[in-house]
Amino acid sequence: MKVLQLGKFYPIKGGVEKVMEIFTQGLAERGFASDMLCASHDGETTDIVFSEVSRIFRTKSLTKFAATMISPEMIFRLRRICSEYDIIHVHHPDPMATLALFFSGYRGKVVLHWHSDILKQKFLLRFFSPLQSWLIRRADLILGTTPVYVEESPFLRKAQDKTSFLPIGVDPYPWLSDEIKTIRDQYPGKKIIFNMGRLVPYKGYHHLIEAMTHLSDDYVLLIGGDGPLRAELLEQTERLGLQKRVEFLGFISDKLKPAYFGACDVFCLSSTIAYFGACDVFCLSSTIKTEAYAIVLVEAMSLSRPVVATKIPESGVSWVNEDGVSGINVPVEDAAALAEAVHKICDDPELWKTYSKGARHRFYDVFTKDEMINSLINIYTELLNPSK
């Protein structure tokens, strides 16, 4: 079995590319030939060799348009190499990858990984829609990250007979005792709410900051990451008089992420990037379907952090955070409900322990990288050799 992961760009910028890389490496570690074809966004086009059976091919990009790298070379490269593969696993949304597959002449099996609907680039969708419809018809199997998303997507309603789902899994984060203590010592006697991600509108940070006005001075909110809304969010924080209770941490290195996750009391998610070690609860306050999965929730669960997340319509977020098991899900754009959920968890030590244990159990039951790769191999094997 030889598989090609197709789509997006390299170096990694977001969750879709990271999943592609994990698939490529994970399959290779188990002895399966697996490559990755994507556009370059830094000008580098030399192949990256993972092992004797695994490589990343990067093609030259002309420009970037509507979050898509325009790379005609991808079309020609795929056409040359596609016959080598038993399965091409194309990752959506990526119009360039779909176009390359359309012109490749490939006749083997196609897995379509439906990471999310196209929501923001509605102008682009008007032109891409016929090609997207072709891709849905061409796919032998369509995988979502949660059952909710593939069931609710309006684009997949006529293809439910060939849809399934594969939760995104990660390696558990280590428990960094010294680093966690250092973080917690900076906020003595405080309950730490943690959130990390790009400071962009759909992450719901305005509601998360407003939620702090419903909580006592015993709570502090730490926000990791940066983005175009930073100045606006800082202004909101000052206007509400929360300068001493809301802290913007900026970029957090991969080395320190586990410490922040572990140090928090609650993880309140408003983005897809995690900061796990020191918080008590992780709180996710995203408000629209663009937040389709939120890997950061899974990372927080690996360190037994209770989660507060939002019930985003048609999104898989509230499936990842199982309400009453790993935490609490609340209505979108409801700052008071966010605050109430955080307070409910942190004010009841027994409930906190219940959700902490539930988060860790759910992680190991559903969201480990090993379980994901094992399931992926089974999916590929069944696709190539369907049971009679």
Side-chain angles (χ1 to χ4, degrees):
M1 181 171 68
K2 189 173 184 180
V3 183
L4 179 69
Q5 307 295 327
L6 174 64
K8 289 296 182 178
F9 36 78
Y10 201 90
I12 290 170
K13 283 282 189 178
V16 175
E17 307 93 84
K18 184 62 178 177
V19 169
M20 292 175 62
E21 184 183 53
I22 291 173
F23 283 1
T24 303
Q25 291 180 317
L27 291 167
E29 288 167 359
R30 286 161 173 76
F32 294 94
S34 177
D35 297 325
M36 177 173 162
L37 175 62
C38 52
S40 170
H41 68 73
D42 65 356
E44 293 293 331
T45 57
T46 54
D47 296 346
I48 298 172
V49 178
F50 282 149
S51 69
E52 293 181 359
V53 295
S54 182
R55 298 158 294 174
I56 293 181
F57 305 122
R58 296 178 290 179
T59 60
K60 183 179 179 181
S61 299
L62 299 182
T63 186
K64 185 177 182 179
F65 174 73
T68 299
M69 303 305 297
I70 307 302
S71 176
E73 184 184 337
M74 181 183 287
I75 298 173
F76 300 111
R77 185 74 176 265
L78 182 61
R79 191 172 180 85
R80 288 199 306 270
I81 67 175
C82 66
S83 61
E84 301 175 18
Y85 299 95
D86 301 296
I87 296 172
I88 290 182
H89 192 145
V90 58
H91 293 260
H92 180 280
D94 185 25
M96 191 69 242
T98 306
L99 193 65
L101 183 65
F102 181 81
F103 285 112
S104 69
Y106 178 68
R107 297 185 180 278
K109 297 292 186 181
V110 171
V111 174
L112 168 56
H113 211 121
W114 197 272
H115 291 273
S116 71
D117 299 340
I118 295 177
L119 297 170
K120 293 188 292 183
Q121 292 87 14
K122 294 185 183 297
F123 178 79
L124 173 65
L125 182 59
R126 291 172 58 186
F127 296 94
F128 178 59
S129 184
L131 195 59
Q132 178 176 266
S133 297
W134 169 84
L135 179 61
I136 293 170
R137 294 193 303 271
R138 174 64 179 85
D140 297 279
L141 175 66
I142 302 171
L143 286 178
T145 52
T146 66
V148 176
Y149 207 96
V150 290
E151 289 170 5
E152 297 291 340
S153 171
F155 304 104
L156 301 179
R157 285 173 183 162
K158 296 181 180 180
Q160 290 297 307
D161 60 324
K162 58 179 180 180
T163 62
S164 186
F165 71 99
L166 178 65
I168 299 171
V170 300
D171 287 323
Y173 273 167
W175 185 262
L176 305 177
S177 299
D178 292 342
E179 291 84 349
I180 290 171
K181 182 178 184 303
T182 298
I183 293 169
R184 291 207 66 98
D185 285 347
Q186 296 175 44
Y187 311 96
K190 302 295 184 181
K191 295 169 184 176
I192 300 174
I193 306 166
F194 178 64
N195 184 298
M196 181 174 173
R198 290 193 65 226
L199 306 183
V200 292
Y202 79 86
K203 297 295 187 177
Y205 284 112
H206 290 93
H207 307 292
L208 182 56
I209 293 170
E210 184 185 346
M212 293 300 291
T213 64
H214 298 276
L215 292 167
S216 71
D217 291 344
D218 295 335
Y219 292 85
V220 294
L221 170 62
L222 306 182
I223 299 176
D226 209 341
L229 287 185
R230 182 181 178 87
E232 185 177 326
L233 295 174
L234 282 169
E235 188 278 330
Q236 179 191 12
T237 300
E238 294 176 2
R239 176 167 41 83
L240 295 175
L242 296 171
Q243 299 94 317
K244 294 183 179 180
R245 298 178 54 212
V246 177
E247 184 171 347
F248 293 86
L249 303 169
F251 173 77
I252 300 171
S253 69
D254 289 341
K255 184 178 180 180
L256 273 179
K257 284 178 185 178
Y260 277 99
F261 277 119
C264 73
D265 297 290
V266 181
F267 192 87
C268 195
L269 178 64
S270 59
S271 93
T272 58
I273 301 175
Y275 179 152
F276 300 78
C279 67
D280 298 296
V281 182
F282 185 96
C283 185
L284 171 60
S285 56
S286 297
T287 62
I288 64 173
K289 192 183 175 184
T290 300
E291 192 77 82
Y293 188 87
I295 295 176
V296 67
L297 290 177
V298 174
E299 294 170 317
M301 289 178 193
S302 80
L303 287 172
S304 306
R305 298 303 91 183
V307 172
V308 172
T310 47
K311 300 175 186 175
I312 306 167
E314 302 178 11
S315 167
V317 166
S318 55
W319 179 86
V320 175
N321 179 39
E322 186 175 355
D323 191 77
V325 175
S326 52
I328 299 174
N329 295 320
V330 302
V332 297
E333 301 182 357
D334 192 333
L338 283 170
E340 182 181 357
V342 169
H343 182 266
K344 182 177 180 180
I345 294 173
C346 291
D347 199 47
D348 186 338
E350 289 304 313
L351 184 62
W352 189 94
K353 289 179 183 178
T354 296
Y355 287 147
S356 174
K357 291 178 181 178
R360 188 166 181 83
H361 288 161
R362 183 156 175 76
F363 171 79
Y364 281 102
D365 286 345
V366 183
F367 298 117
T368 65
K369 174 185 170 183
D370 283 345
E371 178 64 24
M372 178 180 69
I373 298 300
N374 290 339
S375 297
L376 184 64
I377 292 171
N378 290 336
I379 287 168
Y380 288 159
T381 302
E382 176 65 22
L383 188 62
L384 293 176
N385 303 285
S387 56
K388 303 264 179 108

